[in-house]
Amino acid sequence: MSDGSASFLMLAVGSATLALALTDIAEVLPTPRLAPVTSMPFVVRGVFMLGGKSKVVIDLARLLDLAEIDQNGLFHHHILLPRNAEDVADAAILVRRATGTRTGVICPQPEEESFNGCVAANVSFGDDLIPLLSLARLLTALERQRLGEFSQRAAARASGWPSALDESADEG
């Protein structure tokens, strides 16, 4: 887009509306059943398997310390799969709702004014300015390393269990 505009996914996160560049997202999924994980930080909601790989699910509202809203079934949670797995240690991100896409213009944001250190800029949608998240700045290097280690251990454990497809192939 030659006018400096780009497309963004609008997110309801806790009580806030945030934007994420569509180029940062590989896929948006409805939330699968999550397996709880003990001894993990409060921001980790659980894990699920996708394509034979375990995905750690990070609750974005908890990570950003945003007030959670009493959902009472009013909203469908969504899982965002980042395009660049290195940004969030091959994790998935839980949001209250992905509300749709909009086209807007990026407005620079001084780093010292960044919301929780995770906002790269603001996006202008006419009179509205919405914070634009940077996936690369969501987790610290240590947090990415620890989640990556956990994902590797979970994948190693899962590889020891035959899948239903493997069992049916053995029977045939």
PDB file of all heavy atoms in Angstrom, residues 92-126:
ATOM      1  N   ALA A  92       1.667 -19.915  21.436  1.00  0.00           N
ATOM      2  CA  ALA A  92       0.447 -19.328  20.892  1.00  0.00           C
ATOM      3  C   ALA A  92      -0.024 -18.281  21.897  1.00  0.00           C
ATOM      4  O   ALA A  92       0.341 -18.315  23.070  1.00  0.00           O
ATOM      5  CB  ALA A  92      -0.616 -20.409  20.714  1.00  0.00           C
ATOM      6  N   ILE A  93      -0.820 -17.345  21.432  1.00  0.00           N
ATOM      7  CA  ILE A  93      -1.255 -16.236  22.270  1.00  0.00           C
ATOM      8  C   ILE A  93      -2.772 -16.279  22.395  1.00  0.00           C
ATOM      9  O   ILE A  93      -3.479 -16.341  21.389  1.00  0.00           O
ATOM     10  CB  ILE A  93      -0.812 -14.899  21.658  1.00  0.00           C
ATOM     11  CG1 ILE A  93       0.713 -14.858  21.549  1.00  0.00           C
ATOM     12  CG2 ILE A  93      -1.330 -13.730  22.488  1.00  0.00           C
ATOM     13  CD1 ILE A  93       1.227 -13.742  20.690  1.00  0.00           C
ATOM     14  N   LEU A  94      -3.254 -16.243  23.632  1.00  0.00           N
ATOM     15  CA  LEU A  94      -4.690 -16.240  23.894  1.00  0.00           C
ATOM     16  C   LEU A  94      -5.171 -14.801  24.038  1.00  0.00           C
ATOM     17  O   LEU A  94      -4.596 -14.019  24.797  1.00  0.00           O
ATOM     18  CB  LEU A  94      -4.984 -17.006  25.190  1.00  0.00           C
ATOM     19  CG  LEU A  94      -6.440 -17.039  25.640  1.00  0.00           C
ATOM     20  CD1 LEU A  94      -7.256 -17.956  24.738  1.00  0.00           C
ATOM     21  CD2 LEU A  94      -6.539 -17.498  27.082  1.00  0.00           C
ATOM     22  N   VAL A  95      -6.208 -14.450  23.282  1.00  0.00           N
ATOM     23  CA  VAL A  95      -6.841 -13.139  23.412  1.00  0.00           C
ATOM     24  C   VAL A  95      -8.326 -13.351  23.660  1.00  0.00           C
ATOM     25  O   VAL A  95      -8.870 -14.399  23.337  1.00  0.00           O
ATOM     26  CB  VAL A  95      -6.619 -12.247  22.168  1.00  0.00           C
ATOM     27  CG1 VAL A  95      -5.138 -11.964  21.967  1.00  0.00           C
ATOM     28  CG2 VAL A  95      -7.223 -12.856  20.920  1.00  0.00           C
ATOM     29  N   ARG A  96      -8.968 -12.358  24.246  1.00  0.00           N
ATOM     30  CA  ARG A  96     -10.394 -12.488  24.526  1.00  0.00           C
ATOM     31  C   ARG A  96     -11.173 -12.596  23.232  1.00  0.00           C
ATOM     32  O   ARG A  96     -12.090 -13.384  23.109  1.00  0.00           O
ATOM     33  CB  ARG A  96     -10.883 -11.284  25.342  1.00  0.00           C
ATOM     34  CG  ARG A  96     -12.348 -11.350  25.683  1.00  0.00           C
ATOM     35  CD  ARG A  96     -12.745 -10.328  26.729  1.00  0.00           C
ATOM     36  NE  ARG A  96     -12.334  -8.991  26.455  1.00  0.00           N
ATOM     37  CZ  ARG A  96     -13.115  -8.066  25.894  1.00  0.00           C
ATOM     38  NH1 ARG A  96     -14.331  -8.360  25.543  1.00  0.00           N
ATOM     39  NH2 ARG A  96     -12.661  -6.855  25.695  1.00  0.00           N
ATOM     40  N   ARG A  97     -10.782 -11.812  22.239  1.00  0.00           N
ATOM     41  CA  ARG A  97     -11.493 -11.875  20.975  1.00  0.00           C
ATOM     42  C   ARG A  97     -10.676 -11.173  19.897  1.00  0.00           C
ATOM     43  O   ARG A  97     -10.116 -10.112  20.126  1.00  0.00           O
ATOM     44  CB  ARG A  97     -12.856 -11.203  21.122  1.00  0.00           C
ATOM     45  CG  ARG A  97     -13.742 -11.333  19.919  1.00  0.00           C
ATOM     46  CD  ARG A  97     -15.121 -10.799  20.203  1.00  0.00           C
ATOM     47  NE  ARG A  97     -15.058  -9.433  20.686  1.00  0.00           N
ATOM     48  CZ  ARG A  97     -16.042  -8.560  20.587  1.00  0.00           C
ATOM     49  NH1 ARG A  97     -17.165  -8.903  20.047  1.00  0.00           N
ATOM     50  NH2 ARG A  97     -15.908  -7.347  21.054  1.00  0.00           N
ATOM     51  N   ALA A  98     -10.612 -11.790  18.728  1.00  0.00           N
ATOM     52  CA  ALA A  98     -10.080 -11.118  17.540  1.00  0.00           C
ATOM     53  C   ALA A  98     -11.304 -10.494  16.867  1.00  0.00           C
ATOM     54  O   ALA A  98     -12.218 -11.208  16.456  1.00  0.00           O
ATOM     55  CB  ALA A  98      -9.393 -12.111  16.620  1.00  0.00           C
ATOM     56  N   THR A  99     -11.339  -9.173  16.820  1.00  0.00           N
ATOM     57  CA  THR A  99     -12.574  -8.491  16.427  1.00  0.00           C
ATOM     58  C   THR A  99     -12.667  -8.158  14.950  1.00  0.00           C
ATOM     59  O   THR A  99     -13.671  -7.616  14.520  1.00  0.00           O
ATOM     60  CB  THR A  99     -12.767  -7.196  17.245  1.00  0.00           C
ATOM     61  OG1 THR A  99     -11.658  -6.328  17.000  1.00  0.00           O
ATOM     62  CG2 THR A  99     -12.866  -7.500  18.722  1.00  0.00           C
ATOM     63  N   GLY A 100     -11.644  -8.449  14.175  1.00  0.00           N
ATOM     64  CA  GLY A 100     -11.686  -8.173  12.743  1.00  0.00           C
ATOM     65  C   GLY A 100     -10.449  -7.418  12.307  1.00  0.00           C
ATOM     66  O   GLY A 100      -9.564  -7.119  13.096  1.00  0.00           O
ATOM     67  N   THR A 101     -10.403  -7.123  11.025  1.00  0.00           N
ATOM     68  CA  THR A 101      -9.252  -6.415  10.474  1.00  0.00           C
ATOM     69  C   THR A 101      -9.659  -5.008  10.059  1.00  0.00           C
ATOM     70  O   THR A 101     -10.805  -4.754   9.711  1.00  0.00           O
ATOM     71  CB  THR A 101      -8.656  -7.158   9.269  1.00  0.00           C
ATOM     72  OG1 THR A 101      -9.658  -7.287   8.256  1.00  0.00           O
ATOM     73  CG2 THR A 101      -8.158  -8.529   9.664  1.00  0.00           C
ATOM     74  N   ARG A 102      -8.677  -4.125  10.123  1.00  0.00           N
ATOM     75  CA  ARG A 102      -8.871  -2.745   9.690  1.00  0.00           C
ATOM     76  C   ARG A 102      -7.596  -2.279   9.008  1.00  0.00           C
ATOM     77  O   ARG A 102      -6.508  -2.772   9.291  1.00  0.00           O
ATOM     78  CB  ARG A 102      -9.168  -1.820  10.876  1.00  0.00           C
ATOM     79  CG  ARG A 102     -10.511  -2.086  11.531  1.00  0.00           C
ATOM     80  CD  ARG A 102     -10.725  -1.231  12.754  1.00  0.00           C
ATOM     81  NE  ARG A 102     -10.955   0.168  12.417  1.00  0.00           N
ATOM     82  CZ  ARG A 102     -11.129   1.118  13.332  1.00  0.00           C
ATOM     83  NH1 ARG A 102     -11.080   0.825  14.618  1.00  0.00           N
ATOM     84  NH2 ARG A 102     -11.332   2.367  12.973  1.00  0.00           N
ATOM     85  N   THR A 103      -7.734  -1.307   8.154  1.00  0.00           N
ATOM     86  CA  THR A 103      -6.585  -0.697   7.512  1.00  0.00           C
ATOM     87  C   THR A 103      -6.338   0.648   8.168  1.00  0.00           C
ATOM     88  O   THR A 103      -7.275   1.438   8.348  1.00  0.00           O
ATOM     89  CB  THR A 103      -6.840  -0.512   6.003  1.00  0.00           C
ATOM     90  OG1 THR A 103      -7.078  -1.797   5.436  1.00  0.00           O
ATOM     91  CG2 THR A 103      -5.651   0.133   5.320  1.00  0.00           C
ATOM     92  N   GLY A 104      -5.097   0.891   8.548  1.00  0.00           N
ATOM     93  CA  GLY A 104      -4.757   2.138   9.222  1.00  0.00           C
ATOM     94  C   GLY A 104      -3.355   2.571   8.878  1.00  0.00           C
ATOM     95  O   GLY A 104      -2.643   1.901   8.129  1.00  0.00           O
ATOM     96  N   VAL A 105      -2.939   3.685   9.466  1.00  0.00           N
ATOM     97  CA  VAL A 105      -1.623   4.264   9.214  1.00  0.00           C
ATOM     98  C   VAL A 105      -0.830   4.230  10.517  1.00  0.00           C
ATOM     99  O   VAL A 105      -1.339   4.623  11.576  1.00  0.00           O
ATOM    100  CB  VAL A 105      -1.752   5.721   8.702  1.00  0.00           C
ATOM    101  CG1 VAL A 105      -0.383   6.345   8.501  1.00  0.00           C
ATOM    102  CG2 VAL A 105      -2.555   5.753   7.409  1.00  0.00           C
ATOM    103  N   ILE A 106       0.407   3.758  10.429  1.00  0.00           N
ATOM    104  CA  ILE A 106       1.265   3.665  11.611  1.00  0.00           C
ATOM    105  C   ILE A 106       1.785   5.046  11.994  1.00  0.00           C
ATOM    106  O   ILE A 106       2.278   5.795  11.152  1.00  0.00           O
ATOM    107  CB  ILE A 106       2.440   2.706  11.356  1.00  0.00           C
ATOM    108  CG1 ILE A 106       1.908   1.291  11.138  1.00  0.00           C
ATOM    109  CG2 ILE A 106       3.442   2.737  12.507  1.00  0.00           C
ATOM    110  CD1 ILE A 106       2.954   0.273  10.788  1.00  0.00           C
ATOM    111  N   CYS A 107       1.651   5.370  13.279  1.00  0.00           N
ATOM    112  CA  CYS A 107       2.168   6.620  13.849  1.00  0.00           C
ATOM    113  C   CYS A 107       3.266   6.260  14.844  1.00  0.00           C
ATOM    114  O   CYS A 107       3.027   5.464  15.751  1.00  0.00           O
ATOM    115  CB  CYS A 107       1.059   7.378  14.569  1.00  0.00           C
ATOM    116  SG  CYS A 107      -0.368   7.756  13.549  1.00  0.00           S
ATOM    117  N   PRO A 108       4.453   6.817  14.689  1.00  0.00           N
ATOM    118  CA  PRO A 108       5.559   6.466  15.589  1.00  0.00           C
ATOM    119  C   PRO A 108       5.208   6.705  17.057  1.00  0.00           C
ATOM    120  O   PRO A 108       4.428   7.595  17.395  1.00  0.00           O
ATOM    121  CB  PRO A 108       6.694   7.394  15.156  1.00  0.00           C
ATOM    122  CG  PRO A 108       6.334   7.804  13.767  1.00  0.00           C
ATOM    123  CD  PRO A 108       4.835   7.813  13.698  1.00  0.00           C
ATOM    124  N   GLN A 109       5.809   5.894  17.915  1.00  0.00           N
ATOM    125  CA  GLN A 109       5.605   5.986  19.368  1.00  0.00           C
ATOM    126  C   GLN A 109       6.982   6.009  20.018  1.00  0.00           C
ATOM    127  O   GLN A 109       7.770   5.089  19.804  1.00  0.00           O
ATOM    128  CB  GLN A 109       4.822   4.755  19.836  1.00  0.00           C
ATOM    129  CG  GLN A 109       4.821   4.521  21.317  1.00  0.00           C
ATOM    130  CD  GLN A 109       3.608   5.114  21.984  1.00  0.00           C
ATOM    131  OE1 GLN A 109       2.674   5.497  21.309  1.00  0.00           O
ATOM    132  NE2 GLN A 109       3.630   5.205  23.286  1.00  0.00           N
ATOM    133  N   PRO A 110       7.289   7.024  20.804  1.00  0.00           N
ATOM    134  CA  PRO A 110       8.578   7.006  21.515  1.00  0.00           C
ATOM    135  C   PRO A 110       8.659   5.785  22.423  1.00  0.00           C
ATOM    136  O   PRO A 110       7.694   5.449  23.104  1.00  0.00           O
ATOM    137  CB  PRO A 110       8.555   8.299  22.344  1.00  0.00           C
ATOM    138  CG  PRO A 110       7.534   9.168  21.686  1.00  0.00           C
ATOM    139  CD  PRO A 110       6.526   8.239  21.074  1.00  0.00           C
ATOM    140  N   GLU A 111       9.801   5.095  22.410  1.00  0.00           N
ATOM    141  CA  GLU A 111       9.942   3.851  23.167  1.00  0.00           C
ATOM    142  C   GLU A 111       9.678   4.056  24.652  1.00  0.00           C
ATOM    143  O   GLU A 111       9.097   3.201  25.315  1.00  0.00           O
ATOM    144  CB  GLU A 111      11.329   3.251  22.957  1.00  0.00           C
ATOM    145  CG  GLU A 111      11.428   1.851  23.510  1.00  0.00           C
ATOM    146  CD  GLU A 111      12.679   1.127  23.036  1.00  0.00           C
ATOM    147  OE1 GLU A 111      13.225   1.481  21.996  1.00  0.00           O
ATOM    148  OE2 GLU A 111      13.074   0.198  23.750  1.00  0.00           O
ATOM    149  N   GLU A 112      10.059   5.203  25.195  1.00  0.00           N
ATOM    150  CA  GLU A 112       9.851   5.441  26.622  1.00  0.00           C
ATOM    151  C   GLU A 112       8.367   5.607  26.975  1.00  0.00           C
ATOM    152  O   GLU A 112       7.984   5.530  28.131  1.00  0.00           O
ATOM    153  CB  GLU A 112      10.647   6.659  27.109  1.00  0.00           C
ATOM    154  CG  GLU A 112      10.262   7.983  26.468  1.00  0.00           C
ATOM    155  CD  GLU A 112      10.991   8.256  25.148  1.00  0.00           C
ATOM    156  OE1 GLU A 112      11.728   7.389  24.662  1.00  0.00           O
ATOM    157  OE2 GLU A 112      10.799   9.368  24.608  1.00  0.00           O
ATOM    158  N   GLU A 113       7.512   5.806  25.972  1.00  0.00           N
ATOM    159  CA  GLU A 113       6.075   5.911  26.205  1.00  0.00           C
ATOM    160  C   GLU A 113       5.331   4.628  25.839  1.00  0.00           C
ATOM    161  O   GLU A 113       4.105   4.599  25.822  1.00  0.00           O
ATOM    162  CB  GLU A 113       5.497   7.075  25.389  1.00  0.00           C
ATOM    163  CG  GLU A 113       6.019   8.430  25.809  1.00  0.00           C
ATOM    164  CD  GLU A 113       5.509   9.551  24.922  1.00  0.00           C
ATOM    165  OE1 GLU A 113       4.504   9.341  24.202  1.00  0.00           O
ATOM    166  OE2 GLU A 113       6.110  10.627  24.949  1.00  0.00           O
ATOM    167  N   SER A 114       6.079   3.581  25.581  1.00  0.00           N
ATOM    168  CA  SER A 114       5.485   2.314  25.153  1.00  0.00           C
ATOM    169  C   SER A 114       4.692   1.670  26.274  1.00  0.00           C
ATOM    170  O   SER A 114       5.172   1.538  27.398  1.00  0.00           O
ATOM    171  CB  SER A 114       6.587   1.365  24.691  1.00  0.00           C
ATOM    172  OG  SER A 114       6.051   0.106  24.387  1.00  0.00           O
ATOM    173  N   PHE A 115       3.482   1.230  25.971  1.00  0.00           N
ATOM    174  CA  PHE A 115       2.613   0.550  26.923  1.00  0.00           C
ATOM    175  C   PHE A 115       3.224  -0.781  27.303  1.00  0.00           C
ATOM    176  O   PHE A 115       3.401  -1.658  26.461  1.00  0.00           O
ATOM    177  CB  PHE A 115       1.236   0.350  26.283  1.00  0.00           C
ATOM    178  CG  PHE A 115       0.286  -0.474  27.079  1.00  0.00           C
ATOM    179  CD1 PHE A 115      -0.292   0.026  28.223  1.00  0.00           C
ATOM    180  CD2 PHE A 115      -0.026  -1.761  26.689  1.00  0.00           C
ATOM    181  CE1 PHE A 115      -1.166  -0.727  28.957  1.00  0.00           C
ATOM    182  CE2 PHE A 115      -0.908  -2.529  27.420  1.00  0.00           C
ATOM    183  CZ  PHE A 115      -1.471  -2.009  28.558  1.00  0.00           C
ATOM    184  N   ASN A 116       3.601  -0.941  28.566  1.00  0.00           N
ATOM    185  CA  ASN A 116       4.221  -2.163  29.076  1.00  0.00           C
ATOM    186  C   ASN A 116       5.446  -2.587  28.257  1.00  0.00           C
ATOM    187  O   ASN A 116       5.819  -3.750  28.259  1.00  0.00           O
ATOM    188  CB  ASN A 116       3.224  -3.327  29.115  1.00  0.00           C
ATOM    189  CG  ASN A 116       2.222  -3.185  30.236  1.00  0.00           C
ATOM    190  OD1 ASN A 116       2.283  -2.235  31.007  1.00  0.00           O
ATOM    191  ND2 ASN A 116       1.311  -4.110  30.334  1.00  0.00           N
ATOM    192  N   GLY A 117       6.050  -1.682  27.530  1.00  0.00           N
ATOM    193  CA  GLY A 117       7.226  -2.003  26.728  1.00  0.00           C
ATOM    194  C   GLY A 117       6.938  -2.806  25.476  1.00  0.00           C
ATOM    195  O   GLY A 117       7.844  -3.177  24.749  1.00  0.00           O
ATOM    196  N   CYS A 118       5.676  -3.089  25.206  1.00  0.00           N
ATOM    197  CA  CYS A 118       5.306  -3.983  24.099  1.00  0.00           C
ATOM    198  C   CYS A 118       4.703  -3.257  22.910  1.00  0.00           C
ATOM    199  O   CYS A 118       4.407  -3.891  21.898  1.00  0.00           O
ATOM    200  CB  CYS A 118       4.294  -5.024  24.578  1.00  0.00           C
ATOM    201  SG  CYS A 118       4.910  -6.026  25.926  1.00  0.00           S
ATOM    202  N   VAL A 119       4.501  -1.979  23.024  1.00  0.00           N
ATOM    203  CA  VAL A 119       3.883  -1.226  21.938  1.00  0.00           C
ATOM    204  C   VAL A 119       4.971  -0.604  21.073  1.00  0.00           C
ATOM    205  O   VAL A 119       5.824   0.134  21.567  1.00  0.00           O
ATOM    206  CB  VAL A 119       2.922  -0.143  22.482  1.00  0.00           C
ATOM    207  CG1 VAL A 119       2.431   0.764  21.371  1.00  0.00           C
ATOM    208  CG2 VAL A 119       1.754  -0.801  23.189  1.00  0.00           C
ATOM    209  N   ALA A 120       4.943  -0.936  19.792  1.00  0.00           N
ATOM    210  CA  ALA A 120       5.943  -0.427  18.859  1.00  0.00           C
ATOM    211  C   ALA A 120       5.541   0.929  18.293  1.00  0.00           C
ATOM    212  O   ALA A 120       6.385   1.745  17.942  1.00  0.00           O
ATOM    213  CB  ALA A 120       6.133  -1.418  17.724  1.00  0.00           C
ATOM    214  N   ALA A 121       4.228   1.170  18.185  1.00  0.00           N
ATOM    215  CA  ALA A 121       3.711   2.403  17.588  1.00  0.00           C
ATOM    216  C   ALA A 121       2.226   2.474  17.907  1.00  0.00           C
ATOM    217  O   ALA A 121       1.687   1.619  18.627  1.00  0.00           O
ATOM    218  CB  ALA A 121       3.922   2.391  16.072  1.00  0.00           C
ATOM    219  N   ASN A 122       1.581   3.467  17.371  1.00  0.00           N
ATOM    220  CA  ASN A 122       0.125   3.544  17.393  1.00  0.00           C
ATOM    221  C   ASN A 122      -0.353   3.430  15.960  1.00  0.00           C
ATOM    222  O   ASN A 122       0.396   3.734  15.027  1.00  0.00           O
ATOM    223  CB  ASN A 122      -0.361   4.862  18.001  1.00  0.00           C
ATOM    224  CG  ASN A 122      -0.173   4.901  19.493  1.00  0.00           C
ATOM    225  OD1 ASN A 122      -0.660   4.038  20.203  1.00  0.00           O
ATOM    226  ND2 ASN A 122       0.561   5.891  19.974  1.00  0.00           N
ATOM    227  N   VAL A 123      -1.583   2.990  15.787  1.00  0.00           N
ATOM    228  CA  VAL A 123      -2.170   2.918  14.454  1.00  0.00           C
ATOM    229  C   VAL A 123      -3.329   3.902  14.426  1.00  0.00           C
ATOM    230  O   VAL A 123      -4.188   3.892  15.314  1.00  0.00           O
ATOM    231  CB  VAL A 123      -2.670   1.499  14.118  1.00  0.00           C
ATOM    232  CG1 VAL A 123      -3.215   1.455  12.702  1.00  0.00           C
ATOM    233  CG2 VAL A 123      -1.564   0.483  14.295  1.00  0.00           C
ATOM    234  N   SER A 124      -3.330   4.736  13.417  1.00  0.00           N
ATOM    235  CA  SER A 124      -4.387   5.725  13.265  1.00  0.00           C
ATOM    236  C   SER A 124      -5.473   5.166  12.356  1.00  0.00           C
ATOM    237  O   SER A 124      -5.212   4.751  11.232  1.00  0.00           O
ATOM    238  CB  SER A 124      -3.815   7.010  12.661  1.00  0.00           C
ATOM    239  OG  SER A 124      -4.859   7.904  12.351  1.00  0.00           O
ATOM    240  N   PHE A 125      -6.686   5.159  12.900  1.00  0.00           N
ATOM    241  CA  PHE A 125      -7.877   4.794  12.142  1.00  0.00           C
ATOM    242  C   PHE A 125      -8.785   6.015  12.187  1.00  0.00           C
ATOM    243  O   PHE A 125      -9.669   6.108  13.039  1.00  0.00           O
ATOM    244  CB  PHE A 125      -8.590   3.588  12.752  1.00  0.00           C
ATOM    245  CG  PHE A 125      -7.731   2.354  12.853  1.00  0.00           C
ATOM    246  CD1 PHE A 125      -7.196   1.973  14.067  1.00  0.00           C
ATOM    247  CD2 PHE A 125      -7.465   1.580  11.740  1.00  0.00           C
ATOM    248  CE1 PHE A 125      -6.418   0.832  14.173  1.00  0.00           C
ATOM    249  CE2 PHE A 125      -6.686   0.440  11.832  1.00  0.00           C
ATOM    250  CZ  PHE A 125      -6.156   0.070  13.050  1.00  0.00           C
ATOM    251  N   GLY A 126      -8.510   6.972  11.331  1.00  0.00           N
ATOM    252  CA  GLY A 126      -9.263   8.222  11.397  1.00  0.00           C
ATOM    253  C   GLY A 126      -8.924   8.949  12.688  1.00  0.00           C
ATOM    254  O   GLY A 126      -7.764   9.270  12.942  1.00  0.00           O
TER     255      GLY A 126
END
